[in-house]
Amino acid sequence: MKKVPVLKTLYDHLSKDRQIVGLTKEDNRYFYRALDSFDQWQSNVLLGNFSPKEVFFPQDEVLFYFKAQKTILPKDEVKPNVLWGVRPCDIAGIGELERMFNQVGEEGYKDPYFMQRFERTLIVGLACSEPWPSCFCTSVEGSPYKSEGADIFIYPTEDGYLIETPSKKGEAAIQGLDVEEVGDVSQLEADRRRAEDKIEKYNFEGIADKLKLMVDSNFWDRVHNPCIGCGTCAFVCPSCHCFDVSDASRGSRGLRSRQWDSCLYEGYTLETSGHNPRPSGRERWRQRLMHKFSYFPQVFGSYQCLGCGRCGRACPVNINIAELAAKAVEWEEASAE
Amino acid sequence: MSKSLTNSIREEARKILQEGKVDFVIGYGQGDNSMRTQPVFIDKVEDIDKLVWPSFGLINLANYLLRYRTTRNTPHKIGIVAKGCDSRSIVALLKENQIDRDRLFIIGVNCPGMLSRQVAREKAGEIVAASSNGDKWSFETTEGTKEISCFDLMPSNCVACRHHAPVISDVVVGDSIKEPDVEDDGYDSIREFENKPAPERYQYLMSEMSACIRCYACRQACPTCNCDECFVDITQPKWVDKGLEPTDLAIWQLIRTYHQAGRCVDCGACEEACPMGVKLLWLTRKMNLVVRERFGFEAGVDPEALPPLATYKKEDPQEFIL
Ligand code: SF4
Ligand code: SF4
Ligand code: SF4
Ligand code: SF4
C-alpha cells in the first residue's frame, strides 16, 4: 500500500484537473458540495444531512425543456468530479443506486442523467475510525473499513494515511503522486476490529425470507404507530431512489423535471380513482422494511439499507429501522416456534 | 426525564386502562438516547413503563388523534397525554369537529417546558452523544464536548409560553406552574424582529425558507395541518410547482402559515420536526401575534370562543383588505 503523511497532498494532486466535491457546512447543515479549498472540508463529520446521493441524483432535476413540439435536453455538466472523503456506507449506497439506474443486460434500464455523472466521478473513500452510536453497517454486510466500491480508499493511521486503489481508475488517478510504499499493513486489521467493535450489532439472520412470510402479519399493526409519514427518512437515505415526475409550463413552453418521492407519503400510492392500496402507515412501513430487507435482497442479492443510521437520526419521532428489522426477525422466529 | 411526572402519568394511564375507560393511551416514550423521544401507544398495563415524561419532547401528541377523527368512524376510546399546547390543539380540533370529546380521556400535564434538539444543534453543533446532569446537558459533538444549561436549550415557544397548564383535561398531573406576568405577552422577540429593516427581514426569512427540502415534516407534525388534501399536493390545478425554487419554497411556507391563522397553538412541533432546522416559528408566531392583536384571539385557549376564521363580527378590522 501507499502512504502519504498529510491528506492535503492527495487532495491537491486530484484537484489539479478535477472539481472536488466533499462535505461542507452551510449554517448547521452538512452537504456534499464543490469544495473551494481543502480547509473547507468537514473531515470530522462522518455523515452529512444528505448522503452523496444528491451528487448523482439531485433532489430536483430537469429532464428536458420543451417549446411547442420541440424538446431540448439540459446542458451537459463540465468537469469530471472527485467525490472526496465518502464513508463506506455511503459508497455502498452509491452501489445500490447503480444497481437501479445502471441495470445489467441489454434490457436493463440505464438512467442517462445518473450515468453521465456516475461515469465521470472518482470516488475517494475514507475509513471511519470513530463510528457514531447510530451506525450499524456491520449488521448489513458493511464495515467502517470496507474499501469496496471506492476508486481510492484512505485509512487514517497514527502517522499518516494509507492509500489503497481498489479500481484501475483510482490507480491511474494517483499516478505521479509522491508516496511512500509500505509493505507491512498488519496494523490495519487491528484498527478495523477496534472500529467494528464500537458498532452495535443487530441480528438480521435470514430476514429476507422471514419477511416474505410476514405480509399479513400482525407485526405491522403497531410498529408504524409513531410514524407521522413525513418522508424525511427516504430523503436522507443514500439508497432510496424513488422519484416523481412533474411538468411546469407557461403556454407551450416549459420543462419536465423529477423530484425525490417517499413511500411513506400518503399520496405515493394514491390512484386516480381515489383508491389507495396502502391506506395507512401500517402498509407503508411494511413496504419500506420489505423493500430494503426482502425485495432488494431477493432481486439483487444485497440489502438496500447500508446501516448509516441517518433515517433514525433525522426522523422526528426517532424510528430506528435497524431495531425494527431486528424485531421483525424476532417476531417471525417466535411465531415459527 | 422527570421522574415524578413520569410516575404520575403512568399511574393515571394504568387506572384508565384497568378500568376499561380507554382502549389505549398515547403518550411519550424513550427514543434511542436521552435526547430522543418516540411517542408510544400503550394498550396493555404490562407496557405502562414505556410511558415517560421526556426532556426533549417537542412533539404534539394531538396530531395522532387525526387517525381517529370523526369522519373515519373508528370505534376507539383514546387516552392521551397532553401538555398545555397539546391540550390547546385538542380544543382547536374539537372546535373544528375533527374529534369526539366523549371518546377522549385527557391526562393533562402541567408542563414545565421542553428542551429543543434544534436549539441544541444550533448551539452545540453536530451532536454524536448526549448526557445530562440535572441543570446542564453535555454534548459530544464533531467539534468536541460542549456543555449547555437547560434554560439555554428551551425553544422560543416554550420561553414565550403563557399556557403551561392544560386548558382541557379529565385529570391533571404535575405541580401547577405560575404563569409569567400578563403584561409580558411573550411576543417581544417578534416585535424586535419586526423593527428590523425590511431588506434584513426579507433576506433572513428567504434564507431560512430556501433551506427547505419540501419533505413536509412540519405539516405532518402539526395537528391543525389536517386537510384531506394539502394545497401543495394538489396537481389539478397545480397551485405551486414541485421543485426547490426559492419562490416555490416561500409560497409553500407562507401559505401553510396562513392556513394556520387562529389555529396554530405555538407548540413548536413543526420547527422541531424539520430535518433542515428551518426556523418556522418566526412565521407562525408573527401570525399568531396578528391574530391576537386584531381579533383578540388565541387558538385553543377558550373552548367556547369561535375561531376568527369561523365567525364574522361587524367591528372586525379590515383595513388590510385591498
Ligand atoms: S434505511 Fe436508514 S440506515 Fe439504512 S441506508 Fe437508508 S438512511 Fe441509512
Ligand atoms: S422520518 Fe420517521 S416519521 Fe418521517 S416518514 Fe420516516 S419513519 Fe415516518
Ligand atoms: S398547509 Fe394548508 S392545505 Fe396544507 S394541510 Fe396545512 S392547512 Fe391544509
Ligand atoms: S419540515 Fe422543514 S424541510 Fe420539511 S417541508 Fe417543512 S420546512 Fe421544509
Side-chain angles (χ1 to χ4, degrees):
Chain A
M1 241 181 250
K2 300 178 168 48
K3 189 169 187 173
V4 288
V6 288
L7 266 189
K8 194 168 177 311
T9 333
L10 178 61
Y11 180 96
D12 288 342
H13 177 79
L14 294 174
S15 64
K16 266 183 236 149
D17 44 9
R18 296 182 181 85
Q19 173 64 65
I20 310 251
V21 175
L23 261 191
T24 55
K25 188 174 182 176
E26 287 177 7
D27 293 328
N28 271 318
R29 312 162 186 119
Y30 298 87
F31 298 106
Y32 277 90
R33 297 275 189 269
L35 294 175
D36 297 326
S37 73
F38 181 76
D39 297 332
Q40 221 187 337
W41 175 43
Q42 301 290 319
S43 59
N44 288 337
V45 180
L46 294 189
L47 306 165
N49 291 58
F50 277 173
S51 76
K53 163 167 92 178
E54 56 168 346
V55 173
F56 304 105
F57 170 44
Q59 179 175 3
D60 180 20
E61 161 172 51
V62 175
L63 301 177
F64 56 80
Y65 298 90
F66 52 82
K67 195 173 161 191
Q69 301 296 319
K70 272 219 321 263
T71 57
I72 305 140
L73 288 177
K75 280 211 191 73
D76 212 8
E77 285 165 24
V78 269
K79 254 191 176 176
N81 276 339
V82 172
L83 199 53
W84 173 262
V86 197
R87 306 295 173 162
C89 54
D90 280 348
I91 299 176
I94 298 166
E96 298 309 324
L97 288 181
E98 199 199 347
R99 281 177 218 272
M100 276 322 287
F101 289 142
N102 181 21
Q103 294 179 0
V104 288
E106 242 165 63
E107 297 285 292
Y109 171 68
K110 309 256 186 303
D111 188 280
Y113 306 93
F114 172 84
M115 288 307 294
Q116 68 149 8
R117 300 193 185 95
F118 181 70
E119 275 168 351
R120 60 177 71 165
T121 302
L122 189 80
I123 299 174
V124 181
L126 175 59
C128 318
S129 37
E130 300 293 336
W132 283 355
S134 44
C135 298
F136 61 96
C137 53
T138 51
S139 301
V140 284
E141 290 164 2
S143 159
Y145 274 60
K146 190 172 181 174
S147 62
E148 197 184 313
D151 297 306
I152 300 174
F153 197 81
I154 306 164
Y155 301 97
T157 68
E158 259 171 24
D159 56 347
Y161 298 86
L162 285 171
I163 295 175
E164 187 191 326
T165 45
S167 82
K168 289 237 158 59
K169 199 163 140 191
E171 212 176 292
I174 62 162
Q175 284 297 322
L177 175 70
D178 190 14
V179 292
E180 176 197 342
E181 288 292 339
V182 186
D184 177 20
V185 290
S186 52
Q187 182 58 32
L188 270 190
E189 218 14 68
D191 290 351
R192 169 202 298 272
R193 240 173 290 125
R194 195 187 133 269
E196 284 183 353
D197 285 348
K198 288 186 179 170
I199 297 177
E200 188 168 349
K201 191 96 178 146
Y202 294 87
N203 173 23
F204 300 152
E205 186 70 36
I207 187 167
D209 290 328
K210 290 194 170 98
L211 284 174
K212 259 201 229 173
L213 306 170
M214 290 176 68
V215 177
D216 296 320
S217 168
N218 293 336
F219 175 74
W220 309 108
D221 295 353
R222 292 153 180 268
V223 291
H224 73 90
N225 263 337
C227 173
I228 57 172
C230 70
T232 299
C233 46
F235 282 19
V236 300
C237 177
S239 62
C240 276
H241 49 253
C242 286
F243 58 84
D244 196 6
V245 173
S246 77
D247 287 355
S249 58
R250 213 158 270 129
S252 61
R253 302 154 60 106
L255 59 85
R256 175 161 298 174
S257 59
R258 65 177 173 192
Q259 288 85 23
W260 292 348
D261 204 349
S262 165
C263 57
L264 267 319
Y265 287 145
E266 187 174 356
Y268 182 86
T269 45
L270 185 64
E271 295 169 8
T272 329
S273 65
H275 173 66
N276 195 338
R278 292 185 204 142
S280 77
R282 180 186 183 279
E283 295 77 23
R284 290 172 215 141
W285 245 107
R286 179 179 67 191
Q287 161 63 23
R288 182 163 176 81
L289 206 66
M290 289 269 187
H291 193 190
K292 294 198 173 289
F293 287 91
S294 186
Y295 308 148
F296 225 75
Q298 285 175 51
V299 177
F300 295 110
S302 64
Y303 292 120
Q304 201 221 358
C305 165
L306 306 317
C308 70
R310 269 195 191 83
C311 50
R313 282 171 67 83
C315 172
V317 294
N318 194 212
I319 293 187
N320 179 332
I321 193 168
E323 220 166 76
L324 225 70
K327 264 193 204 157
V329 169
E330 243 174 68
W331 178 283
E332 186 47 35
E333 277 167 2
S335 53
E337 267 160 25
Chain B
M1 183 174 113
S2 153
K3 285 233 172 64
S4 61
L5 278 177
T6 295
N7 287 337
S8 331
I9 290 169
R10 287 178 186 168
E11 213 171 288
E12 296 304 330
R14 184 193 310 275
K15 263 190 245 161
I16 54 175
L17 277 171
Q18 266 165 354
E19 289 164 12
K21 282 196 180 139
V22 297
D23 299 318
F24 54 87
V25 177
I26 305 174
Y28 298 101
Q30 179 67 54
D32 281 349
N33 57 53
S34 52
M35 258 186 100
R36 297 306 313 256
T37 300
Q38 183 170 90
V40 287
F41 291 53
I42 305 294
D43 59 0
K44 288 196 291 289
V45 173
E46 303 92 90
D47 288 341
I48 228 73
D49 288 349
K50 290 187 181 161
L51 285 166
V52 301
W53 177 255
S55 306
F56 289 80
L58 282 167
I59 295 172
N60 190 329
L61 295 175
N63 189 28
Y64 292 105
L65 295 177
L66 296 169
R67 291 184 196 167
Y68 311 97
R69 64 219 262 180
T70 311
T71 47
R72 296 209 174 156
N73 282 322
T74 57
H76 307 94
K77 286 179 287 169
I78 306 158
I80 183 165
V81 175
K83 49 190 176 355
C85 45
D86 304 38
S87 77
R88 289 174 60 192
S89 287
I90 294 176
V91 168
L93 291 175
L94 286 168
K95 279 190 211 188
E96 294 176 2
N97 293 325
Q98 293 297 327
I99 48 174
D100 305 327
R101 179 66 181 97
D102 52 6
R103 289 198 290 130
L104 284 187
F105 189 99
I106 304 167
I107 304 176
V109 184
N110 281 319
C111 172
M114 290 289 176
L115 309 182
S116 156
R117 284 187 301 127
Q118 303 286 17
V119 174
R121 274 192 92 217
E122 212 174 293
K123 297 193 172 160
E126 191 65 27
I127 296 166
V128 178
S131 60
S132 86
N133 59 352
D135 299 340
K136 266 204 205 111
W137 278 78
S138 165
F139 301 106
E140 211 186 289
T141 76
T142 51
E143 287 149 33
T145 306
K146 299 210 175 133
E147 282 205 340
I148 300 178
S149 76
C150 284
F151 185 77
D152 291 330
L153 290 169
M154 276 221 191
S156 58
N157 62 304
C158 287
V159 173
C161 178
R162 300 295 178 267
H163 301 282
H164 295 80
V167 291
I168 185 173
S169 60
D170 295 294
V171 58
V172 180
V173 302
D175 301 332
S176 74
I177 288 156
K178 195 178 168 304
E179 296 298 345
D181 192 350
V182 276
E183 288 296 305
D184 166 11
D185 65 1
Y187 283 105
D188 285 352
S189 58
I190 298 292
R191 291 194 186 92
E192 238 168 73
F193 186 73
E194 278 171 350
N195 286 332
K196 291 189 178 168
E200 201 180 311
R201 277 180 283 149
Y202 177 80
Q203 210 186 1
Y204 176 75
L205 291 175
M206 275 315 271
S207 85
E208 283 300 315
M209 292 189 284
S210 315
C212 172
I213 57 169
R214 284 180 84 163
C215 62
Y216 309 132
C218 46
R219 172 187 78 186
Q220 295 303 103
C222 171
T224 35
C225 237
N226 59 26
C227 298
D228 274 346
E229 204 178 6
C230 177
F231 78 96
V232 85
D233 285 333
I234 293 175
T235 48
Q236 282 185 330
K238 190 157 75 175
W239 300 109
V240 38
D241 277 333
K242 296 284 177 190
L244 297 177
E245 279 296 321
T247 43
D248 290 331
L249 299 176
I251 286 178
W252 150 239
Q253 285 310 337
L254 292 172
I255 296 189
R256 189 188 94 86
T257 307
Y258 279 132
H259 285 184
Q260 289 298 330
R263 309 166 72 220
C264 166
V265 299
D266 203 16
C267 66
C270 51
E271 191 172 277
E272 186 75 352
C274 176
M276 294 294 125
V278 178
K279 301 250 177 33
L280 298 166
L281 296 189
W282 284 116
L283 298 176
T284 49
R285 303 202 68 233
K286 160 72 184 171
M287 186 200 54
N288 290 350
L289 179 60
V290 171
V291 170
R292 193 188 159 112
E293 283 176 344
R294 289 186 196 262
F295 304 98
F297 185 84
E298 260 191 299
V301 169
D302 174 0
E304 303 308 320
L306 276 175
L309 284 179
T311 181
Y312 168 75
K313 288 196 203 107
K314 245 167 82 193
E315 61 279 13
D316 278 346
Q318 47 187 310
E319 77 281 2
F320 53 87
I321 297 175
L322 295 175

